[in-house]
Amino acid sequence: MSLVELTARADELGLAAGGLACLDRCVPLLGGDDEILRPLWASLAEPEEGFRDWGECVEQVRAKLYVADGPEGGASAEGEAVALAHRMLGAAPAERTAANLREWADTCSVAALQIHGLLDATARAESGGAASARDRREGRTQDMSPLVAAELRRQVSVLELVAAHGPAGLRQARELTTEGRRVLRAVVSRRARGRA
């Protein structure tokens, strides 16, 4: 099943986890530490309390990480990736409804795939930006760069885990996300050393 199909079938919890996992993997681009999104993950694990806490947590995280007018994308891959990550955070819905979360999950999915394509040193074939990311989500995965392929697998796995296990799947989803964040942090660090 393609990522688009999985997203279409996802319930509110799956959509929230999918969007949050994409954002969490991209936290290194936002200058946040590994625990910055923990309150949002906690709000997903507690359905009743979480509905009330979600919007407040979003605002707190945004206040710590978000640049109001968005950073300048610039001509560099890094600048564009940082701008995409800020857009993901800026688009996080304060109200946790299925419609809001579906739009956000789609936005985050496309942006995260674009970010991984921009930062993959081997990704000469990963051109086309959002259009290429949409193709990947629909199952057209030929000539996919390694970093993008890994991100796509993580997005699919998060949705599958939450669909199969509900709130109990969030722990494994976070573990996958932590692994992805480490990978992206290493990529960002390697690229920074290459420019030094």
Side-chain angles (χ1 to χ4, degrees), residues 51-148:
F51 276 106
R52 290 194 291 274
D53 294 345
W54 173 267
E56 186 178 318
C57 291
V58 166
E59 290 309 316
Q60 288 171 357
V61 170
R62 200 178 275 140
K64 290 175 185 172
L65 297 178
Y66 187 56
V67 178
D69 296 326
E72 291 301 315
S76 72
E78 289 83 358
E80 199 174 331
V82 168
L84 284 165
H86 275 89
R87 271 185 233 136
M88 289 165 64
L89 177 58
E95 190 179 352
R96 212 174 97 181
T97 65
N100 288 346
L101 290 170
R102 189 169 305 283
E103 184 178 347
W104 184 56
D106 282 336
T107 296
C108 289
S109 173
V110 170
L113 289 168
Q114 284 181 265
I115 285 167
H116 284 75
L118 284 163
L119 299 180
D120 194 330
T122 67
R124 289 207 173 93
E126 284 298 324
S127 57
S132 176
R134 281 192 282 276
D135 286 347
R136 303 312 185 200
R137 296 179 74 238
E138 290 170 2
R140 293 188 285 281
T141 58
Q142 63 279 6
D143 302 320
M144 202 166 25
S145 72
L147 201 61
V148 174

Side-chain angles (χ1 to χ4, degrees), residues 32 46 92 94 102 117 131 187:
E46 300 165 9
R102 189 169 305 283
V187 168

